[in-house]
Amino acid sequence: MGLRKLETCFSPALYEADLHSGSIVVIIDILRASSAICTAFANGAESIIPVSEVDEAREYKNRGYLVAAERDGYVLDFADFGNSPFNFTREKVAGKTIAYSTTNGTGIINMASSASAIVIGSFLNISAISEWIIAQQKDVVLFCAGWKNRFNIEDTICAGAIAEKLMNSLLFSTICDSTLAAIDLWTIAENDLQGYIEKAAQRSRLRDKGLDDCISFCLTMDYTRKIPVIKNGILVDNIL
């Protein structure tokens, strides 16, 4: 088999679903949705239902589900908690199904529904997810959540870190300028990741709202081997 194609999408506004129906799509929203999802499975969550709209999330709450939901960082009034990974403790989520709705991350999961596979990527599971992707022998799109259809630094750096691992396997090729730019940004940032993320607008947004306590955690490499994957519209641990 020839080399697999590697592409990166910096924003939902740039995603072309029809071009990626045979690809693995990796959802990256490290501050905070994809980090929270990986943490939830690390702490024993059974499944997560990605929900795009607030009204749908409210309906899940009315049906008795545990609901994690936020908009612009603020926990919605009906939700049990928001999307900090620190909310997804073992005591709260072990064995539970959680309806989950966020400003950016969960909506793009649904945008990618035509993909061959949809998985959740973050620094927390970066080695596990890179190894899993390499074993699949399929084209890959690294899909950054960005911020309200705009480019962001943090997701792009994570995409670059994953892309570097995939390219180093010598099983992928790319002529995607976004992928090359993401790798370059990761190369600049990797020796002081925490310091570089200080430049990110989302870092400032979280600080201004008093929600920045989890940033160092979200930048932790290889916290878990869990690989959240969509099966029948629901996120589950890939081993299931």
Side-chain angles (χ1 to χ4, degrees), residues 46-69:
E46 181 174 322
S47 60
I48 295 176
I49 304 169
V51 178
S52 298
E53 302 299 327
V54 172
D55 288 346
E56 186 181 3
R58 184 181 287 106
E59 178 59 26
Y60 274 105
K61 178 62 177 178
N62 292 338
R63 291 163 55 190
Y65 282 85
L66 188 67
V67 173

Side-chain angles (χ1 to χ4, degrees), residues 191-228:
N191 290 329
D192 183 15
L193 186 55
Q194 181 87 41
Y196 199 88
I197 291 295
E198 288 295 316
K199 300 180 181 183
Q202 180 68 348
R203 196 270 174 267
S204 296
R205 294 186 196 103
L206 292 174
R207 180 195 293 116
D208 292 346
K209 295 169 183 175
L211 301 172
D212 60 340
D213 58 325
C214 66
I215 289 179
S216 294
F217 176 74
C218 292
L219 303 179
T220 302
M221 301 289 179
D222 297 327
Y223 171 78
T224 181
R225 298 286 300 175
K226 298 293 186 179
I227 302 171

Side-chain angles (χ1 to χ4, degrees), residues 33-50 85 88-90 93-98 100 109 119-120 124-125 223-231 234-240:
S34 63
S35 299
I37 290 168
C38 290
T39 302
F41 283 105
N43 284 330
E46 181 174 322
S47 60
I48 295 176
I49 304 169
F88 292 78
T89 62
R90 183 165 295 275
V93 305
K96 300 289 183 62
T97 293
I98 305 152
Y100 189 40
I109 292 173
V119 295
I120 305 299
L124 300 180
N125 69 340
Y223 171 78
T224 181
R225 298 286 300 175
K226 298 293 186 179
I227 302 171
V229 60
I230 288 283
K231 293 185 179 180
I234 297 174
L235 282 163
V236 296
D237 180 3
N238 184 60
I239 66 170
L240 299 177

Side-chain angles (χ1 to χ4, degrees), residues 61 65-69 75-76 78-82 92:
K61 178 62 177 178
Y65 282 85
L66 188 67
V67 173
V75 181
L76 298 182
F78 61 85
D80 296 290
F81 45 84
K92 288 182 180 177

Side-chain angles (χ1 to χ4, degrees), residues 136-200:
Q136 305 312 302
Q137 300 185 358
K138 291 187 177 183
D139 295 340
V140 173
V141 179
L142 305 174
F143 190 179
C144 301
W147 175 257
K148 297 186 176 181
N149 284 329
R150 297 179 179 90
F151 170 93
N152 73 13
I153 287 175
E154 65 273 13
D155 295 341
T156 302
I157 289 173
C158 187
I162 296 171
E164 182 181 75
K165 287 180 177 292
L166 300 184
M167 294 298 292
N168 285 346
S169 75
L170 304 181
L171 297 175
F172 288 85
S173 66
T174 189
I175 56 169
C176 171
D177 285 353
S178 296
T179 300
L180 298 174
I183 293 172
D184 283 351
L185 193 61
W186 162 244
T187 300
I188 293 168
E190 64 176 316
N191 290 329
D192 183 15
L193 186 55
Q194 181 87 41
Y196 199 88
I197 291 295
E198 288 295 316
K199 300 180 181 183

